[in-house]
Amino acid sequence: MFLQGSRHAGATPIGLAEGWSLERLTPPSRLFGANGLRTGPDGRIYVAQVAGSQISALDVETGELETVSAQGADIVAPDDVAFDAQGDLYATEYYDGRVSVRGADGRTRVLRDDVPGANGITIHRGRLFIDECRIGGRLLELDPNGGAPRVLLENLPMPNAMEFGPDGKLYYPLLGTNDIWRIDPDGGEPERVAGDLGVPDAVKFDAEGHIVSTQVGTGEVLRIDPRSGDRTVLATIAPGLDNLTFVGNRLFVSSFTGQITEILGGGATRAVLPGGLTWPLDLTTGADGTLYVSDGTYFYVLTPGGELRMLGMLFSPGWPGYIRGVTADGEGEFVVTTSNGQIARWRPASGEHDVLAGETEPLDQLYGVAVAPDGAVVAAELGTGRVLSVRNGEGTTLASGLDRPMGVAFDADGACLVSESGAGRVVSITGSGVDTVVDGLETPQGILVRGGKLLIVDAGVKALIEVDLDSKSRTVIARDLPVGAPPGVDPKPLKGLPPFSGPQGLFAGIAAGPDGTLYISADAEGSVLALRKAG
């Protein structure tokens, strides 16, 4: 375990070539988002982080974070946590469909690996219960000794974080039907407690026996009397709330952004831990210099001199899916690739999107996307090693057999360039195949062509490299960038789970503003960097 000032521990200062300057447009994040919350036996809040495969413990008095289970360790994509009487930590692993136990001695074992979408978890009087947040999910009692689970309910529409009430019944929210239910774990029919909410994704109880529930769709924190159904809005924060916990009588809630907020009463709140970007992926700019940032679950706009403003998120109308690659295609319109395996044209202002490819048969791990001079949309499909072109509803394979293609760009002559992250090179697609443009790289991801120069974010060596397309000379503009996996860490893959997401992975994107500013998604620390050359 280590104390954590930021999630990018042990970072080396960024080095710049002569004449270049750097600005962080957004501060580094301290967490990889924040999902399940549970107050531990030591009084600290334990925070599960799906995106970063990490569990941290937060001291709400000092703000200090301690990493309990780090990225690259045995627990993958934890979504919720609970403690037993011995102080052992139980974690649901959402994407891997597992429940793991981390003992007080620090050792981890897998209890179950056959619970797809494992999400909500609670321990009541020594009994362990979980649910599966998926269409057709189950509510289960698990045997801590590894015996067969007991099914309480099945075919549930996406149950989520749950808790026992003072009446001894188990209360669980259903995202799919926008209500909260309860059931006696020893028999009886389920009862609907409250409905027409703001998409409830967690249930806990206060000292007076009231339900307190976060609403992921509206950003509200509700208190509900389970006897009368009366409800009160304790606070409205922002869409993307995930879970909650009490430390004594103090109430804290989590958000997809990684923000931990204390609810003070009378609608007032206090950010105990600031939010930030979870894993900034691709970037694009408008003609006026406005920067747009894909953060997977969220999509942000950043105007010059302004602050991040959300344009859309997972529960927004017309949301196309977890956005990986993005390029602006006209005012207020974007072409995106999603982790659900689709290429889409998205108009956030009207809450609409049109699927260009992958609607009936999802594509396999899409990343970078660009619009060709002739208007065709070209995207990299990492899973199959292809580069696809879509025009007027017709799809064409431009290249195949590539080793983990990721970034896509076009040069001044209209040639399509692709970063081959597995082969350590950038290639140009020609009528007869592919030609190597730049080799000797480690893990090239985002690429950009500007003024006869090819800019490459090499996440493997954590550098921004500029290549003159005529002379092939190279310049390292920035080194020791906070991109890619932490040094010495081999993150286990995030498998994803429909309908929320397909397989997920890192992608350090790059974009340029009309004034020549270069923007990089610093996915390791959760920030956006701006690099400028003097003059």
Side-chain angles (χ1 to χ4, degrees):
M1 292 190 265
F2 60 87
L3 294 180
Q4 182 184 18
S6 76
R7 75 187 201 191
H8 191 57
T12 303
I14 298 170
L16 299 174
E18 185 176 353
W20 286 86
S21 65
L22 179 143
E23 178 187 6
R24 279 182 169 85
L25 300 182
T26 66
S29 301
R30 297 188 69 189
L31 297 173
F32 294 90
N35 303 107
L37 294 185
R38 183 74 63 171
T39 303
D42 56 7
R44 295 185 298 173
I45 294 177
Y46 285 71
V47 187
Q49 300 147 68
V50 173
S53 289
Q54 182 169 283
I55 299 172
S56 303
L58 170 66
D59 186 317
V60 298
E61 301 298 339
T62 66
E64 285 188 342
L65 280 170
E66 189 173 24
T67 298
V68 175
S69 181
Q71 189 177 52
D74 292 330
I75 295 177
V76 181
D79 205 319
D80 204 359
V81 295
F83 288 89
D84 66 14
Q86 290 72 45
D88 293 340
L89 183 152
Y90 289 71
T92 51
E93 298 175 82
Y94 183 57
Y95 291 144
D96 281 51
R98 304 192 307 194
V99 176
S100 288
V101 187
R102 187 182 188 278
D105 58 3
R107 290 186 294 182
T108 299
R109 63 183 175 90
V110 175
L111 177 63
R112 305 277 334 163
D113 62 0
D114 56 355
V115 282
N119 195 301
I121 184 169
T122 190
I123 295 175
H124 181 67
R125 296 178 178 174
R127 298 168 67 181
L128 172 62
F129 298 85
I130 73 156
D131 62 29
E132 300 167 338
C133 187
R134 60 183 178 90
I135 301 299
R138 298 176 297 171
L139 179 57
L140 306 169
E141 181 175 3
L142 300 187
D143 179 356
N145 297 314
R150 183 171 71 92
V151 179
L152 276 69
L153 294 169
E154 52 189 346
N155 295 319
L156 298 174
M158 299 165 60
N160 212 288
M162 57 189 179
E163 190 58 279
F164 275 84
D167 57 1
K169 294 184 178 181
L170 181 55
Y171 288 69
Y172 55 96
L174 295 178
L175 278 75
T177 55
N178 194 28
D179 46 23
I180 295 171
W181 292 67
R182 66 187 170 200
I183 188 172
D184 186 327
D186 295 318
E189 293 297 315
E191 303 172 82
R192 186 172 183 260
V193 179
D196 301 319
L197 304 171
V199 192
D201 56 352
V203 169
K204 298 282 171 64
F205 284 85
D206 65 15
E208 286 74 42
H210 294 114
I211 295 169
V212 182
S213 175
T214 47
Q215 310 299 298
V216 64
T218 62
E220 295 174 319
V221 182
L222 297 181
R223 182 174 62 205
I224 303 170
D225 188 326
R227 297 165 289 273
S228 67
D230 292 342
R231 63 187 70 173
T232 304
V233 178
L234 298 180
T236 301
I237 302 173
L241 299 185
D242 198 314
N243 211 308
L244 66 148
T245 192
F246 287 90
V247 179
N249 289 322
R250 299 168 65 185
L251 171 60
F252 299 86
V253 303
S254 64
S255 169
F256 293 162
T257 65
Q259 180 168 309
I260 306 297
T261 305
E262 183 175 5
I263 310 303
L264 300 175
T269 63
R270 178 177 73 94
V272 178
L273 201 65
L277 298 172
T278 301
W279 47 5
L281 298 162
D282 209 0
L283 311 158
T284 191
T285 55
D288 60 354
T290 298
L291 179 66
Y292 301 91
V293 184
S294 165
D295 193 31
T297 309
Y298 290 90
F299 188 80
Y300 295 102
V301 57
L302 181 60
T303 54
E307 297 183 349
L308 283 176
R309 178 171 58 87
M310 186 186 74
L311 282 188
M313 57 89 64
L314 179 62
F315 289 90
S316 297
W319 178 249
Y322 279 58
I323 297 175
R324 278 204 187 117
V326 59
T327 186
D329 190 31
E331 186 174 351
E333 187 165 285
F334 303 90
V335 174
V336 302
T337 59
T338 75
S339 67
N340 292 330
Q342 296 179 338
I343 304 171
R345 180 170 279 110
W346 178 46
R347 297 171 293 280
S350 62
E352 300 173 322
H353 77 270
D354 305 314
V355 177
L356 306 180
E359 184 167 23
T360 56
E361 186 175 345
L363 300 166
D364 189 355
Q365 298 178 68
L366 294 166
Y367 280 88
V369 64
V371 178
D374 65 359
V377 173
V378 177
E381 188 183 17
L382 181 147
T384 61
R386 297 190 301 169
V387 177
L388 309 175
S389 173
V390 181
R391 183 178 175 84
N392 298 326
E394 296 294 326
T396 304
T397 298
L398 298 183
S400 60
L402 300 180
D403 191 350
R404 299 179 64 82
M406 296 193 82
V408 179
F410 287 89
D411 66 16
D413 298 324
C416 181
L417 307 183
V418 180
S419 63
E420 211 175 343
S421 66
R425 64 175 184 164
V426 176
V427 298
S428 174
I429 298 176
T430 67
S432 57
V434 298
D435 292 333
T436 299
V437 176
V438 182
D439 58 9
L441 305 170
E442 188 166 321
T443 314
Q445 294 184 353
I447 59 174
L448 170 73
V449 177
R450 186 174 178 86
K453 306 292 178 64
L454 171 63
L455 287 305
I456 306 165
V457 181
D458 190 333
V461 297
K462 305 187 183 307
L464 173 62
I465 301 167
E466 179 185 78
V467 179
D468 187 299
L469 289 173
D470 292 326
S471 68
K472 304 301 181 184
S473 63
R474 303 188 190 189
T475 303
V476 177
I477 294 176
R479 59 179 55 85
D480 297 315
L481 291 170
V483 296
V489 173
D490 183 18
K492 296 178 173 65
L494 300 181
K495 299 176 181 179
L497 186 72
F500 289 127
S501 169
Q504 302 187 47
L506 300 176
F507 178 55
I510 183 171
D515 62 353
T517 300
L518 301 178
Y519 302 101
I520 295 175
S521 54
D523 52 358
E525 70 174 18
S527 72
V528 175
L529 308 178
L531 292 96
R532 301 180 178 92
K533 190 172 185 179

